[in-house]
Amino acid sequence: MSEEVFDVIHKSLDGRARTGVLHLNHGDVQTPVFMPVGTNATVKALSKDDLEEIGFEIILANTYHLYLRPGSSLIEEAGGLHGFSGWKRNFLTDSGGFQVWSLSKLRKISDEGVYFASNIDGSRHTFTPENVVDFQVQFNSDIQMQLDVCTGYGIDRKEAAEALRITGNWLKRAKERWLIKRNEGYKGILLPIVQGNFFHDLRRESAEFVNSLDLPAVAIGGLSVGEPREEFAAMLDYTTEFLPENKAKYVMGIGTPDYILDAVHSGVDMFDCVLPTRNARNGSYFTKDGNLSIKQERFIHDFSPIDRECNCKVCKNYSRSYLRHLFKEQEILSCMLASYHNLYFLNNMMKEIRQAINEDRFEQYRVDFLKRFRAENIL
């Protein structure tokens, strides 16, 4: 039996949504939770103090990029990611599988592992289930992900089944190495990844196999890879039916309100995505009335805040006119303020979601939020 790291606090009376607490080595995490992506051990345009001020309890870092530069040995020498970056709360590190998948012309997948060329200098490298565990142990990740084979939307069943077979074998090997590292004193947890693309029988097969290995939590992969939102929501809802109630569930790569609300509805507890900060760098701000593109000329003389209902320091201190000016002049401050606002918005939305679940009104909250957000009545 795996260690218990997750407590369900309250289950919604009108669906699968629930609140919980994830107990990790660098503090508890309240769920449902959105996790900002800090690819290179930093969330772009924000300091660790900004993230602490907003109230985040966990962020992501990327194994592929950190392995290539500055290297896992240097990070280990610095005291892991926490010592290296100064972020004292939790880190989740992905396995690098998605990045390797996206570099289709630079990699080759076999039963042994993945052989790939660096996107930095073309040098050749190998990821195996074992050394990816080792790298993340060097990072001292609080949550580490297994190496998996990610697949895109629209592939045939044969290709999806082969990717699932390899992913399953890699998971068994990753678990063996992780258990060795745990016996040596490593305290982070390993998450398996449910795959199967958009084939129901493969999804169920993967979920049941993952359950049989009894790891502390579960991740759901192979979604948000180009499919229509309706197919994402349907396959996610189907997949979660076969996953245990008592374990935290993590769906990778979603970070917009509609996708997050769909996932919470299906009983998912953890999410991450680069979009909130990437969109911020392109001048797009979240508001409860939809996405606001600050580059529009109609904001030249608009001295109101981005979102009148937002209590973040950006909305309290800066006008749309000034923020448009910063963006048009390509000032670094534009990226900083927009990123802060978007992450504050999502973190506040997660607080509202948790409160709505605890008060048994999540489905109404979901309907009301999306009706207003999609109307895009930004004044």
Side-chain angles (χ1 to χ4, degrees):
M1 183 68 180
S2 68
E3 63 179 305
E4 295 185 4
V5 300
F6 182 65
D7 293 324
V8 175
I9 302 301
H10 186 81
K11 295 181 181 178
S12 175
L13 294 178
D14 53 1
R16 295 186 206 161
R18 74 264 189 89
T19 56
V21 180
L22 188 59
H23 306 290
L24 299 175
N25 194 39
H26 286 85
D28 288 350
V29 176
Q30 308 298 311
T31 64
V33 61
F34 176 79
M35 304 176 287
V37 175
T39 300
N40 292 303
T42 175
V43 176
K44 292 189 187 313
L46 294 176
S47 70
K48 66 179 182 64
D49 298 325
D50 291 327
L51 298 171
E52 290 174 1
E53 183 176 273
I54 292 171
F56 288 107
E57 297 167 333
I58 183 169
I59 64 174
L60 267 70
N62 182 271
T63 294
Y64 171 88
H65 291 287
L66 292 173
Y67 160 78
L68 289 176
R69 193 165 57 193
S72 57
S73 295
L74 178 66
I75 292 174
E76 183 179 33
E77 180 185 347
L81 286 171
H82 304 86
F84 190 54
S85 69
W87 172 254
K88 301 306 182 186
R89 300 184 186 183
N90 296 289
F91 270 105
L92 183 153
T93 50
D94 61 16
S95 67
F98 180 83
Q99 284 69 36
V100 169
W101 169 71
S102 67
L103 300 171
S104 58
K105 296 181 180 179
L106 301 175
R107 51 87 169 153
K108 180 180 179 181
I109 297 172
S110 73
D111 282 341
E112 178 58 26
V114 183
Y115 309 90
F116 63 94
S118 165
N119 67 309
I120 298 172
D121 58 12
S123 56
R124 304 296 300 183
H125 303 270
T126 302
F127 274 0
T128 68
E130 294 83 4
N131 70 14
V132 165
V133 168
D134 294 344
F135 298 146
Q136 293 178 92
V137 170
Q138 289 181 295
F139 298 156
N140 194 26
S141 307
D142 300 284
I143 301 176
Q144 64 163 275
M145 309 300 297
Q146 72 151 119
L147 183 65
D148 66 326
V149 182
C150 188
T151 55
Y153 179 64
I155 66 169
D156 62 34
R157 191 184 186 285
K158 182 179 179 181
E159 184 178 348
E162 176 64 6
L164 180 56
R165 181 189 69 81
I166 294 174
T167 294
N169 289 337
W170 285 357
L171 174 56
K172 289 187 286 187
R173 290 163 54 189
K175 181 181 177 181
E176 290 176 5
R177 181 60 67 95
W178 172 71
L179 288 173
I180 291 171
K181 295 299 180 180
R182 291 282 285 188
N183 288 334
E184 294 174 354
Y186 170 62
K187 296 180 180 179
I189 64 173
L190 171 70
L191 262 64
I193 301 176
V194 175
Q195 289 287 358
N197 201 260
F198 290 85
F199 299 92
H200 288 78
D201 60 328
L202 296 182
R203 281 277 165 183
R204 179 169 184 170
E205 175 188 332
S206 181
E208 291 175 346
F209 173 72
V210 162
N211 294 344
S212 73
L213 294 186
D214 197 22
L215 286 158
V218 181
I220 302 166
L223 297 176
S224 191
V225 289
E227 74 279 7
R229 175 174 166 263
E230 294 74 17
E231 291 195 42
F232 161 85
M235 186 56 74
L236 177 61
D237 199 56
Y238 175 80
T239 303
T240 55
E241 289 182 19
F242 304 103
L243 297 176
E245 281 277 326
N246 65 333
K247 294 186 180 181
K249 301 172 184 66
Y250 164 38
V251 63
M252 297 177 283
I254 62 169
T256 57
D258 51 352
Y259 276 76
I260 288 173
L261 289 165
D262 282 343
V264 172
H265 167 80
S266 295
V268 176
D269 310 289
M270 306 161 64
F271 332 94
D272 80 278
C273 193
V274 298
L275 277 178
T277 48
R278 178 180 292 167
N279 288 354
R281 296 193 297 276
N282 290 313
S284 180
Y285 289 75
F286 285 136
T287 80
K288 288 198 171 183
D289 293 300
N291 293 314
L292 183 152
S293 176
I294 200 63
K295 64 187 74 174
Q296 296 177 53
E297 288 189 12
R298 67 191 181 104
F299 298 130
I300 292 176
H301 300 284
D302 188 342
F303 301 107
S304 63
I306 289 292
D307 186 340
R308 293 174 178 84
E309 298 177 33
C310 179
N311 289 317
C312 81
K313 63 184 181 183
V314 179
C315 290
K316 286 181 176 180
N317 293 293
Y318 301 98
S319 70
R320 295 174 177 183
S321 175
Y322 180 67
L323 293 170
R324 181 184 184 277
H325 162 70
L326 294 179
F327 179 79
K328 298 298 286 187
E329 293 301 319
Q330 300 182 3
E331 288 287 347
I332 294 172
L333 185 59
S334 174
C335 299
M336 297 167 63
L337 296 179
S339 297
Y340 187 101
H341 167 83
N342 280 357
L343 289 183
Y344 183 100
F345 180 93
L346 281 186
N347 191 60
N348 188 67
M349 187 182 86
M350 301 315 300
K351 291 178 181 178
E352 292 179 354
I353 287 172
R354 293 195 294 268
Q355 182 176 355
I357 294 170
N358 287 334
E359 295 174 358
D360 293 313
R361 54 179 181 84
F362 169 71
E363 290 302 329
Q364 189 60 54
Y365 173 89
R366 177 189 181 204
V367 169
D368 293 344
F369 188 103
L370 290 177
K371 181 179 180 181
R372 181 176 171 185
F373 187 78
R374 290 172 176 161
E376 296 191 339
N377 295 320
I378 300 173
L379 300 177

